[in-house]
Amino acid sequence: MAREGPEEYCRKLPEVLPAGAVVEEQELKGNRLRFVRLSGRGPYTGWVDVREDNTELLTRVEKKAGAAGAAPVQAEDDLDGTSKRKKGSEKWRAPPVEPVAPAPVNSSYPRPGRFWKVVGAPKDGLTVWQGVSESSPILPGTLPQGAVVEEVQVVGNRLSFTDFSMRGPPSGWVNIRESGRDMIVVDMEGLSTLNIAEALKESAGLTFPQMPQPVQATRESREEAPLSGWAKLSEMYQKPLEKQRMDLAAAAAETDSAKRRTRRRRQTSVKEIPPLEELAHASEEMLVDMLGFPEEEAKHFAMMNEESKNRVITECRALIDMSPLERQMAFEKLRKAWPRGPFPSFAKPTENLPSVNTNLLPPGTCFPIKRPPKTSSAPSNLVSALDGKPGTFFAAEPYTNTAEQKQALQALAQKVAALPAQEVAAEPSVAAERMDFCRLPATKVDSEKLAQNVMAKTKLSGADVALYLAEEMRKRPLVMDAGPGPKLKAAGLSEADFRGERAKVLRDSASQLGNVDLLSLSKPNLVLDTHKDYLKAGADICCTNTLNANALAQRDFKTSKFVTEMNKTAAILAKRAAAEITKQDPRKPRLVAGLIGPNSNLLLGANRTRSVSFDDLVEAYSEQIKGLAEGGVDLLALEAVADAVSAKAAIYAAGDVYRQLKQRVPPMLIHAVVDSATGRTPGGQGLDAFYVSVKHAKPLIVGLVASESNEKVLGAYQALGKVAQSFTGMRLGSEGQAPNSLSADATSATKGSLPNLLGVSGSGLPTHVSALAQLQLSGVPRALPEAVKAMMLSGRDVHTVTGFSLVGQRGSTRASDGFKALVDDYKAKKDPACLSKAVDVCAQDAEKGADILDVCVDGIANDGSNRGSKAVFGKFVEMCDTDERISKAPLMLCSSEWKCLREGLCSVQGRSIVNAICLMVGEEEFLRIAKECLKHGAAVVVMAISEEGRCVTSKDKVAVLQKSYRLLRQKLDFPPEDIILDCHLQSLRPDEHPADVISAIAEVRRTCPHASVAAGISNLSAAFGRLSKLREALHTVFLQHAIPKGLNVALADAGNLPLYCDLDKETRQRCEDVILNSGKDEAVLKSFMGFLSFRSGATVCLPLQATVPKDTSGQEAWWDLPECKAAAKEAQKEYLEKRGAMATPALQKAYFQSMKPAHVAVSGKVSPDTGCARPDPCRVTGSGGTGALQQQVSTALASATPVSASNLLAQLNLSLAQKVLLLDGPEGPGQQLAEIKDEASFRGSRFPASAKGNLNLLSITKPDAVLGAHRALLKAGADVIRTNTFYGDALCQKYYGTEAAAYELNKAAAGLAKQAVAEAVSQSPQQLKFVAGVLGPSVGGISGIRAAATWDQLVQSYRPQVQGLVDGGVHMLMLDMVSDTLNAKAAVYAIEEHFSMNPKDRLPVVINITLKEGRTASGQTLEACLASLAHAQPFAFGVAEEKAQVVQEAARQAGCIRGTAEAAGTHSTGSQAERPGGCSHCPCRSDVWGEATDSCWLTAG
């Protein structure tokens, strides 16, 4: 544990120093050491204890003098500013050591720096700056997680680096810490991942205590193919001299021929290779010419510094000591981790490596499953050839008898041979924590000693209590009260009595009348006497006065703060009463049960919607159980349970509380309410299903609470007795029932068999307890059955996995496209109807006979992996739990994220299966998730996936599953019958053989006693897409051979599994051949594919068979071989002749285009409502005559007052009908302003130095210069001038650090341009001038290869610019130099957003598009770009292109550059009749840059 300072009161740091971490001492105060961490994980700096009691927490290590890898610690490395040593503090120094002569160093190499490793990078990587200051520009690249850099210098919190791992920018500055977390730490592990201790010793120059040397592995005679120059070198050093010479010569020749170097090879004689340690000073030529290194590896090694070379040589020495097989595996691992280098990765084997290597999944991830890529839909001829025709894959008649299908599969399961296997026992400490109180090793307990302990009010052992009760329940039914509540309610107490002295001062509390649980504090003597009355009446077990003593129930009385004290006091009072009554009769010890009542807020309405979450329940029950435990109760009683979810929450809370108290959970008594009208719990479960839901708690007694003992209630109790492996109980009675009537009900209820416990319901008084105690019952109580090792699951009903169980997959997004589409629609629209339809799809499985229903709502991320939604999963599971069609069957909860699985477990009443967990998350995380499943009472599916990734061979699958099984049994005492081992069946492919899976199933079933074996059958045929009948045939054949070998759980399409005997002979034989093929005969798969091609009438391949069509040798995949295609074509010849020629795609398209609609609407157009219409800007005309209009506009322009939108558009249309308007140059005033270079002009008095070069900012800092540029352009003849805002959006201004001034500079620029126009119009009123507010292309374009900004960021960037230009008084808005359509659409969105709030002030929009070779920079043609921006209703558009012929070609294609007034609504100059073409895409004018012919707008320059 680390602290911020040396004092005890100093705050503890959230991170701790793990074992093996290396730190450097900074200051020593007594037993406290201030450190800087050099390696491992934990805080970068802090204070730790050197020793604790007599245990050394830290061990001193010594630095070698002159060690090449020693990392000097400089003063600036102390990031928290505490590097100066305080006065009087002592620093520990290492004792002197013998100097070691340093190795000769080549002066040409740089001084070695320390290596740093990125450990806290976000998803997008660590930001890299160009300089040390915060205002420095950000470099385009980032440092990813796991990258390693070499230190140049450290300044404050910034590190200057050079990238050693070549995974980011070559150099730059990064933050070392952000928000209190390490972003990058000193990496002392170095390059070695094979032996960390040796690597640390060699790289950091540290001397550790002598460690035992590993035994050198026996070298195998077999030689492996070397993978790199270092692999060759490691082989050469272990061979005899003559062999070395031969290999050197061969390697040199191989390198010479392979690389084809242009330089002449230096002739060297073959001699003995130099000592390994001298290679650090070898030249690139020596490595290539003498040792046969590839040139790239040699060059890379020569560029490394001295420290890195020593590390590589250390690694090579470790490789030399390996056997050839070990070395081959090591280099295979290294090559995958870092393909560019011959040395290992900096990452640990469990961290940040690609998924193909030892990549452990991040915490919170359960299973790395990916949805298989969608195969293309089968052509129509293929579908028709496969569906419903005799002579195809199956008989013509469909198979609809699902019961017959299940019966056939169950018959196969009876053929499984029961082989003896050795049980895997849990570790003693683990087994002790999870003891079954019904089956303790001892059989008797000393009742006299137990009575003495009761009288002494000491804490009783749970085992002693369970043994005593078990012994008594074998003789007679025990009698139990329902707590003192019923009698206390009948006592007629007042408000003051309930409040007492404690609650009298509660001013903010509600009325306490009826708060019986509070009486333990306000009237303790009354509660004590009431307990005695119940015990004297004959109760063997008395319950505490805590039925509603939890925070949720007490919330109504506003007394939640008394909950812990209330429960503790109630337990003490009950213990005192039991002790006093036991003293009167020591032969009959009285025991106390801590009463945990139901939550009345849990269930609301007919659909049983839960109003409190599972975590809220756990928190409330934890507080209550903690008080009961501190009060010393002997038992825990969960009474009147209405919903299994609340019972599971109480069980979960009890486990956590007693684990924190370091005690064992006492025996539990659980009684559920049974409705006498339905024979089910209020949650809808049968009593037997309720038992299965809570059986993971290993309760001592499970029973029912009912108001009467009718046929429904007795039927529920009998069903409980058939499945319960614990003692059973029955609690009867209704409100106001007489004691003799209760006796009669109890007598009739116990005629069949006596329960082990009889009790009164929540209204029972001492007289009722006395009536039960005095009953004369004949018979023997129910005997405890022998434990059955069978997996029990439950929904509303019980399902026991004894033979074969079928899991339906229609409710999984991984297996059902229709279900996935509904779930995706819900996520997008939040429409409950979509989830309701998804529930209907899931219900089809239950209707078609599925025993278990698979539920998965994971979405698909961009990388193909699954992405879970906790909220959607929880909501869907709750809907399934309340749907009577689905809730009958248990659920298999499937997700790749633990948070989703936990939400599902917290939402379902029944006992479910978690699908799936695997060792790829690491043993620690694997056991943690499995332990959580155990606490929730769920069974688990364990996948055959190891730390290294997916297992392929049968041997690997068996080894991983056996290891997982042993871990679950030994470390957690996980019930073996609740473990489902999945051999991970994959699609048919050359390296995946179903026969291997079948053999693995048999071996796993033989060696893992009582565990189930599962397989996802639908995976087998995933490559065949829509070939449903072929897929079903493969499924049936696989099950026919796998079930007798031990497969007893299969995920498949329920109801669509044909009978094995119904398959036609040829289909069955072909499927058997390919499934039972062990992979030795490749002709089997070829033959199967030829058969498929023949039957389907089309060439079908398996898309998942190979990752590339050709392997490294250039050999084609077998299905592409000419002879294979020729054979398939010959086999299909007769069939294809009958089928006839297929229409080509062109003919198909032409046919559909030739079809005409039968009816076309001819009614009038629908006009928009008032205020919603948007006038066509090209067709707005003025009123009152052209002269009056021009006079009004001229007056407004000269006075710099706003011009109304209608007058402005009318005048523009009138001017365009008369002449060509001239726009100023391409850069507006920018070309003249570019002459300003001094920094002061840009900064002014308020802006930073980074503002230099920001021409748009001159509208604020140099307004006179901008105004002069506008005047010059107007004087030269421009009719429309552009504002100085080409880079005025916030993202562009952020580059200069002036984003806060975006609105101000745009408004100022608009005002300056408007002032220049006013001056010009005042001088010449007949020559009207206009101002165009420019919105340029932002630097955050989002259509490029690498996104610089998101859509929302672009829109947010344009908002202040649009607002500033409009407020500044521009006459139109111009999207200038449009090269990225998506960027322009973001600007249009911001414009529309502004004018939607100010529709009367809407300004015309002009769009200028930049083309190169006929396309925009984002790849669109002019026609496509115009269509993309048509929603902006532009007043005019323009095209910029260097080549005039490209502009004319674009104009011809788009039909918009030249347009007639009738077609395009444009005004033209000259004779309109001479203008060819028409506008079919854009109803606006055209503006051609560089080509003024037939244009309405002309751009100078």
Side-chain angles (χ1 to χ4, degrees):
M1 180 67 69
R3 300 176 182 271
E4 285 186 344
E7 292 80 10
E8 283 293 334
Y9 58 80
C10 291
R11 186 177 69 89
K12 295 180 180 179
L13 299 179
E15 296 178 281
V16 298
L17 280 178
V22 179
V23 300
E24 183 170 12
E25 177 244 351
Q26 298 291 302
E27 186 176 347
L28 188 64
K29 279 191 174 182
N31 190 39
R32 288 278 166 87
L33 171 74
R34 186 166 68 86
F35 66 88
V36 170
R37 175 171 51 78
L38 299 181
S39 71
R41 292 186 177 274
Y44 179 76
T45 185
W47 293 79
V48 293
D49 291 336
V50 178
R51 65 186 63 83
E52 182 177 337
D53 298 331
N54 295 327
T55 304
E56 292 288 340
L57 302 182
L58 302 179
T59 302
R60 290 173 176 169
V61 295
E62 302 173 359
K63 287 188 177 180
K64 292 182 181 179
V73 179
Q74 303 170 1
E76 63 268 23
D77 291 346
D78 196 1
L79 302 181
D80 60 353
T82 57
S83 59
K84 293 183 179 180
R85 186 166 290 100
K86 297 179 181 179
K87 185 177 181 180
S89 63
E90 175 191 359
K91 178 170 181 178
W92 173 83
R93 299 183 181 277
V97 297
E98 293 295 330
V100 179
V105 179
N106 191 336
S107 60
S108 63
Y109 294 115
R111 166 189 165 274
R114 291 188 300 173
F115 287 98
W116 295 65
K117 178 178 177 181
V118 178
V119 297
K123 184 178 180 181
D124 297 333
L126 205 60
T127 304
V128 181
W129 281 268
Q130 186 174 343
V132 69
S133 66
E134 288 293 337
S135 59
S136 300
I138 297 176
L139 297 179
T142 60
L143 282 179
Q145 184 81 350
V148 175
V149 300
E150 189 171 5
E151 172 191 326
V152 177
Q153 69 176 118
V154 176
V155 178
N157 190 40
R158 284 282 174 93
L159 168 72
S160 176
F161 70 89
T162 56
D163 186 11
F164 186 78
S165 57
M166 296 185 293
R167 298 175 64 183
S171 62
W173 294 78
V174 292
N175 285 337
I176 300 176
R177 289 174 67 84
E178 291 181 6
S179 303
R181 293 179 58 244
D182 284 339
M183 297 291 105
I184 186 168
V185 299
V186 177
D187 179 57
M188 293 303 296
E189 181 182 333
L191 295 167
S192 175
T193 59
L194 301 177
N195 189 326
I196 294 179
E198 283 297 317
L200 202 58
K201 177 179 177 181
E202 292 292 331
S203 61
L206 301 177
T207 302
F208 286 84
Q210 186 65 29
M211 300 175 62
Q213 297 297 321
V215 180
Q216 186 172 354
T218 304
R219 298 187 177 114
E220 300 177 13
S221 58
R222 182 177 63 86
E223 298 292 333
E224 80 284 5
L227 298 173
S228 70
W230 292 104
K232 297 173 185 176
L233 190 64
S234 61
E235 282 186 288
M236 295 174 186
Y237 273 99
Q238 68 170 353
K239 296 176 181 177
L241 180 58
E242 292 300 323
K243 182 64 175 174
Q244 289 180 14
R245 293 175 175 173
M246 294 172 61
D247 286 346
L248 284 172
E254 175 188 349
T255 305
D256 190 60
S257 59
K259 294 299 181 180
R260 296 185 177 88
R261 294 187 297 275
T262 56
R263 62 181 174 84
R264 186 171 181 178
R265 181 181 176 87
R266 180 168 58 90
Q267 300 295 328
T268 57
S269 59
V270 179
K271 58 180 180 179
E272 295 184 17
I273 57 177
L276 185 62
E277 286 69 18
E278 293 183 10
L279 291 183
H281 315 295
S283 64
E284 179 182 348
E285 289 77 14
M286 175 182 175
L287 294 174
V288 173
D289 297 335
M290 290 187 59
L291 302 179
F293 267 54
E295 285 187 342
E296 184 179 0
E297 290 186 13
K299 183 177 181 180
H300 196 169
F301 182 76
M303 294 174 62
M304 297 168 64
N305 60 33
E306 196 74 21
E307 181 184 12
S308 302
K309 290 182 178 180
N310 290 335
R311 292 182 180 180
V312 175
I313 292 174
T314 301
E315 181 63 35
C316 189
R317 174 63 68 187
L319 290 168
I320 292 172
D321 295 335
M322 293 182 181
S323 67
L325 180 60
E326 291 171 334
R327 192 185 315 107
Q328 177 76 16
M329 295 174 63
F331 262 96
E332 184 67 26
K333 170 185 170 184
L334 305 182
R335 184 174 64 179
K336 291 178 181 177
W338 194 351
R340 294 197 60 179
F343 21 77
S345 168
F346 284 79
K348 296 181 180 178
T350 60
E351 178 183 338
N352 302 322
L353 296 183
S355 58
V356 297
N357 202 17
T358 53
N359 179 25
L360 299 186
L361 299 174
T365 307
C366 296
F367 181 53
I369 193 168
K370 288 191 177 183
R371 184 180 176 89
K374 280 192 174 182
T375 57
S376 58
S377 301
S380 58
N381 65 302
L382 180 58
V383 177
S384 63
L386 294 178
D387 291 336
K389 286 187 177 181
T392 57
F393 289 109
F394 313 101
E397 293 298 325
Y399 33 86
T400 57
N401 192 342
T402 57
E404 188 177 359
Q405 296 171 9
K406 285 187 64 176
Q407 185 178 0
L409 297 175
Q410 290 284 3
L412 291 174
Q414 305 303 322
K415 300 179 181 179
V416 180
L419 300 175
Q422 184 177 2
E423 298 277 354
V424 179
E427 295 177 355
S429 59
V430 177
E433 291 180 4
R434 288 187 41 79
M435 66 171 60
D436 186 353
F437 287 111
C438 295
R439 294 171 177 82
L440 296 173
T443 56
K444 291 187 178 181
V445 67
D446 189 346
S447 58
E448 294 182 3
K449 185 177 180 181
L450 181 66
Q452 292 175 1
N453 291 334
V454 171
M455 291 184 285
K457 293 175 286 189
T458 59
K459 176 69 177 176
L460 302 183
S461 165
D464 292 344
V465 171
L467 285 172
Y468 170 73
L469 293 178
E471 185 178 355
E472 290 295 315
M473 285 188 288
R474 293 186 182 97
K475 304 175 185 176
R476 62 182 178 89
L478 296 178
V479 178
M480 180 178 176
D481 66 12
K487 186 176 180 182
L488 293 174
K489 288 180 181 177
L493 301 177
S494 65
E495 173 76 15
D497 293 327
F498 279 101
R499 283 185 175 269
E501 296 297 327
R502 290 293 309 278
K504 188 181 294 185
V505 297
L506 293 179
R507 298 180 181 178
D508 61 338
S509 66
S511 172
Q512 301 301 314
L513 197 65
N515 190 0
V516 177
D517 306 272
L518 188 61
L519 293 174
S520 299
L521 301 178
S522 57
K523 291 288 184 181
N525 292 331
L526 178 62
V527 175
L528 178 64
D529 293 340
T530 307
H531 277 306
K532 293 179 183 179
D533 292 342
Y534 278 97
L535 291 171
K536 290 177 181 178
D540 298 287
I541 302 172
C542 73
C543 295
T544 57
N545 182 33
T546 55
L547 184 67
N548 294 309
N550 61 72
L552 294 174
Q554 292 297 314
R555 186 169 53 190
D556 298 335
F557 296 102
K558 298 184 179 180
T559 52
S560 300
K561 60 183 178 181
F562 292 140
V563 166
T564 302
E565 184 182 2
M566 199 183 295
N567 283 274
K568 182 177 180 180
T569 305
I572 293 173
L573 292 174
K575 290 280 287 186
R576 188 188 305 173
E580 294 180 9
I581 301 301
T582 302
K583 285 181 182 178
Q584 300 175 12
D585 185 7
R587 296 172 301 173
K588 186 179 178 182
R590 305 310 206 279
L591 301 174
V592 175
L595 184 59
I596 302 171
N599 187 334
S600 58
N601 296 326
L602 181 62
L603 303 174
L604 296 176
N607 60 349
R608 303 194 298 277
T609 302
R610 298 183 177 90
S611 58
V612 292
S613 68
F614 184 86
D615 293 332
D616 291 339
L617 282 173
V618 171
E619 183 179 358
Y621 283 134
S622 297
E623 190 177 5
Q624 180 178 15
I625 294 172
K626 182 179 179 182
L628 294 173
E630 292 175 350
V633 294
D634 309 317
L635 304 150
L636 289 179
L638 275 59
E639 293 302 322
V641 179
D643 182 22
V645 172
S646 62
K648 292 198 284 187
I651 293 168
Y652 190 97
D656 283 350
V657 169
Y658 279 93
R659 191 177 299 109
Q660 293 171 6
L661 297 175
K662 297 182 180 180
Q663 300 176 14
R664 295 174 184 169
V665 180
M668 279 193 175
L669 318 177
I670 305 176
H671 289 84
V673 175
V674 172
D675 187 353
S676 57
T678 62
R680 292 181 176 271
T681 68
Q685 282 187 304
L687 190 59
D688 51 351
F690 172 83
Y691 164 77
V692 174
S693 297
V694 299
K695 72 182 288 286
H696 63 282
K698 298 186 177 181
L700 182 66
I701 300 173
V702 175
L704 60 83
V705 179
S707 59
E708 58 179 312
S709 58
N710 60 10
E711 185 178 351
K712 295 281 188 182
V713 173
L714 294 180
Y717 180 75
Q718 291 171 3
L720 171 67
K722 294 178 181 178
V723 300
Q725 299 183 31
S726 64
F727 295 101
T728 58
M730 183 182 293
R731 300 184 62 177
L732 303 172
S734 59
E735 188 75 29
Q737 187 178 17
N740 57 351
S741 174
L742 176 63
S743 299
D745 278 354
T747 302
S748 63
T750 56
K751 282 183 179 179
S753 63
L754 293 181
N756 302 112
L757 180 142
L758 270 176
V760 294
S761 65
S763 60
L765 299 172
T767 54
H768 296 90
V769 174
S770 178
L772 292 181
Q774 296 174 10
L775 279 178
Q776 300 296 326
L777 300 175
S778 59
V780 179
R782 173 180 176 271
L784 186 69
E786 292 188 9
V788 178
K789 296 287 187 179
M791 179 166 56
M792 293 183 180
L793 305 171
S794 66
R796 296 175 71 238
D797 300 326
V798 176
H799 174 70
T800 304
V801 181
T802 53
F804 174 80
S805 295
L806 185 63
V807 182
Q809 290 187 289
R810 288 183 175 88
S812 172
T813 53
R814 296 173 180 170
S816 171
D817 289 336
F819 180 83
K820 180 180 181 297
L822 291 171
V823 173
D824 290 343
D825 285 348
Y826 173 76
K827 291 178 181 179
K829 304 175 184 177
K830 301 302 179 185
D831 183 5
C834 296
L835 272 194
S836 299
K837 294 178 181 178
V839 170
D840 295 337
V841 173
C842 188
Q844 295 176 16
D845 272 327
E847 295 166 356
K848 295 201 173 186
D851 302 300
I852 305 166
L853 304 181
D854 187 26
V855 174
C856 176
V857 298
D858 281 5
I860 308 300
N862 293 333
D863 60 353
S865 61
N866 286 270
R867 180 173 297 166
S869 173
K870 176 181 174 181
V872 177
F873 195 70
K875 183 175 182 63
F876 185 75
V877 169
E878 278 194 7
M879 293 178 69
C880 291
D881 199 32
T882 57
D883 189 284
E884 292 188 358
R885 299 168 298 172
I886 297 176
S887 58
K888 292 180 181 180
L891 299 181
M892 176 179 282
L893 308 177
C894 186
S895 178
S896 59
E897 298 188 27
W898 168 245
K899 65 178 182 180
C900 299
L901 291 172
R902 186 183 185 277
E903 187 69 17
L905 291 173
C906 297
S907 304
V908 65
Q909 289 190 89
R911 190 163 195 260
S912 307
I913 301 173
V914 167
N915 183 19
I917 63 176
C918 68
L919 282 173
M920 196 172 183
V921 297
E923 286 188 15
E924 183 178 352
E925 183 71 5
F926 172 79
L927 292 174
R928 185 191 71 80
I929 295 175
K931 189 173 184 179
E932 281 294 309
C933 296
L934 186 60
K935 290 167 66 176
H936 284 278
V940 293
V941 176
V942 182
M943 298 298 297
I945 301 178
S946 68
E947 295 90 337
E948 302 292 331
R950 182 172 59 87
C951 300
V952 177
T953 65
S954 173
K955 183 179 178 181
D956 292 341
K957 292 178 186 289
V958 172
V960 169
L961 293 178
Q962 288 175 341
K963 178 181 178 181
S964 304
Y965 178 83
R966 287 194 303 270
L967 285 172
L968 293 175
R969 290 292 300 129
Q970 294 172 352
K971 301 297 183 182
L972 300 180
D973 193 19
F974 207 103
E977 65 272 16
D978 292 337
I979 301 174
I980 306 173
L981 304 174
D982 192 329
C983 293
H984 207 190
L985 178 64
Q986 291 293 299
S987 178
L988 285 175
R989 48 195 292 173
D991 60 340
E992 288 280 356
H993 309 298
D996 290 345
V997 176
I998 294 176
S999 63
I1001 289 172
E1003 183 63 16
V1004 168
R1005 193 63 185 271
R1006 184 185 68 83
T1007 57
C1008 300
H1010 310 296
S1012 296
V1013 181
I1017 308 301
S1018 57
N1019 295 342
L1020 176 66
S1021 60
F1024 295 101
R1026 289 181 56 195
L1027 306 182
S1028 56
K1029 293 189 175 181
L1030 169 66
R1031 299 186 67 178
E1032 293 158 7
L1034 286 168
H1035 300 167
T1036 293
V1037 172
F1038 181 85
L1039 291 175
Q1040 183 72 20
H1041 295 279
I1043 292 177
K1045 295 294 185 180
L1047 181 74
N1048 63 338
V1049 178
L1051 287 79
D1053 196 3
N1056 289 337
L1057 292 173
L1059 298 180
Y1060 182 76
C1061 58
D1062 286 346
L1063 300 177
D1064 69 83
K1065 185 176 180 181
E1066 185 181 10
T1067 299
R1068 184 171 63 227
Q1069 185 61 46
R1070 297 283 187 174
C1071 292
E1072 283 191 335
D1073 289 344
V1074 75
I1075 286 175
L1076 299 180
N1077 174 36
S1078 62
K1080 298 177 181 178
D1081 187 3
E1082 295 183 2
V1084 173
L1085 195 54
K1086 294 181 182 180
S1087 174
F1088 180 77
M1089 292 306 299
F1091 163 72
L1092 175 61
S1093 298
F1094 171 72
R1095 286 297 183 93
S1096 63
T1099 302
V1100 180
C1101 68
L1102 301 182
L1104 301 182
Q1105 279 194 345
T1107 56
V1108 291
K1110 295 183 179 181
D1111 57 21
T1112 54
S1113 63
Q1115 183 179 0
E1116 292 185 346
W1118 62 264
W1119 54 83
D1120 288 330
L1121 294 176
E1123 56 268 25
C1124 182
K1125 290 183 177 181
K1129 188 175 181 180
E1130 183 65 27
Q1132 298 179 67
K1133 185 175 181 180
E1134 181 180 355
Y1135 174 81
L1136 294 176
E1137 289 175 355
K1138 293 180 181 178
R1139 186 189 66 184
M1142 298 291 292
T1144 63
L1147 290 175
Q1148 295 172 3
K1149 185 177 180 180
Y1151 170 76
F1152 288 116
Q1153 288 179 343
S1154 65
M1155 301 178 71
K1156 303 297 182 182
H1159 302 282
V1160 179
V1162 294
S1163 60
K1165 65 178 182 179
V1166 179
S1167 302
D1169 294 340
T1170 304
C1172 298
R1174 291 183 58 183
D1176 184 354
C1178 298
R1179 291 171 174 79
V1180 175
T1181 59
S1183 60
T1186 59
L1189 175 65
Q1190 183 170 351
Q1191 180 62 35
Q1192 294 177 11
V1193 173
S1194 176
T1195 303
L1197 292 175
S1199 60
T1201 57
V1203 184
S1204 68
S1206 58
N1207 286 348
L1208 177 64
L1209 284 172
Q1211 181 59 51
L1212 285 171
N1213 285 322
L1214 181 62
S1215 300
L1216 289 170
Q1218 299 172 353
K1219 70 169 189 174
V1220 175
L1221 295 183
L1222 186 66
L1223 194 64
D1224 61 3
E1227 299 179 7
Q1231 189 170 2
Q1232 299 182 43
L1233 297 177
E1235 299 175 358
I1236 301 176
K1237 303 294 184 181
D1238 59 305
E1239 182 178 330
S1241 298
F1242 294 96
R1243 296 184 60 181
S1245 60
R1246 48 182 285 201
F1247 296 109
S1250 58
K1252 183 178 180 180
N1254 188 356
L1255 296 179
N1256 298 148
L1257 199 61
L1258 294 175
S1259 300
I1260 298 176
T1261 59
K1262 284 287 184 179
D1264 294 340
V1266 178
L1267 185 59
H1270 284 313
R1271 289 169 178 165
L1273 291 170
L1274 289 169
K1275 187 176 180 181
D1279 297 301
V1280 181
I1281 60 172
R1282 283 175 282 199
T1283 57
N1284 182 33
T1285 56
F1286 190 72
Y1287 294 113
D1289 64 279
L1291 280 175
C1292 290
Q1293 292 301 311
K1294 185 177 181 181
Y1295 179 81
Y1296 298 101
T1298 56
E1299 64 271 22
Y1303 170 80
E1304 181 184 358
L1305 71 86
N1306 280 276
K1307 184 176 180 182
L1312 293 172
K1314 193 173 181 182
Q1315 180 182 345
V1317 165
E1319 295 173 357
V1321 175
S1322 298
Q1323 297 173 4
S1324 301
Q1326 298 303 319
Q1327 297 182 7
L1328 302 183
K1329 310 290 183 179
F1330 302 96
V1331 177
V1334 173
L1335 287 82
S1338 174
V1339 295
I1342 56 180
S1343 288
I1345 297 177
R1346 179 179 179 274
T1350 63
W1351 168 271
D1352 292 335
Q1353 289 172 336
L1354 279 172
V1355 173
Q1356 185 67 22
S1357 172
Y1358 280 121
R1359 281 171 181 158
Q1361 185 173 23
V1362 174
Q1363 183 71 41
L1365 292 173
V1366 174
D1367 291 351
V1370 298
H1371 304 124
M1372 65 190 75
L1373 294 175
M1374 178 178 291
L1375 273 62
D1376 214 356
M1377 300 287 286
V1378 173
S1379 58
D1380 187 309
T1381 311
L1382 203 54
N1383 195 321
K1385 290 171 73 174
V1388 171
Y1389 186 93
I1391 294 171
E1392 292 299 318
E1393 186 180 58
H1394 175 84
F1395 288 122
S1396 65
M1397 295 181 289
N1398 306 280
K1400 293 183 179 180
D1401 301 329
R1402 181 179 293 274
L1403 299 179
V1405 176
V1406 180
I1407 301 177
N1408 286 333
I1409 303 170
T1410 301
L1411 297 180
K1412 185 175 183 180
E1413 302 296 334
R1415 291 185 179 270
T1416 66
S1418 57
Q1420 281 192 306
T1421 62
L1422 178 62
E1423 183 179 9
C1425 185
L1426 292 176
S1428 300
L1429 299 175
H1431 64 287
Q1433 291 190 349
F1435 176 72
F1437 72 89
V1439 180
E1441 170 60 74
E1442 297 176 357
K1443 300 179 180 179
Q1445 62 271 23
V1446 176
V1447 175
Q1448 296 190 3
E1449 179 65 19
R1452 185 186 63 79
Q1453 292 179 1
C1456 294
I1457 301 301
R1458 301 180 179 183
T1460 64
E1462 293 76 18
T1466 59
H1467 301 274
S1468 59
T1469 58
S1471 174
Q1472 295 185 12
E1474 297 176 0
R1475 293 175 173 236
C1479 179
S1480 60
H1481 299 283
C1482 183
C1484 60
R1485 298 183 174 80
S1486 59
D1487 168 17
V1488 182
W1489 295 7
E1491 176 64 28
T1493 306
D1494 294 337
S1495 298
C1496 300
W1497 292 70
L1498 181 66
T1499 298

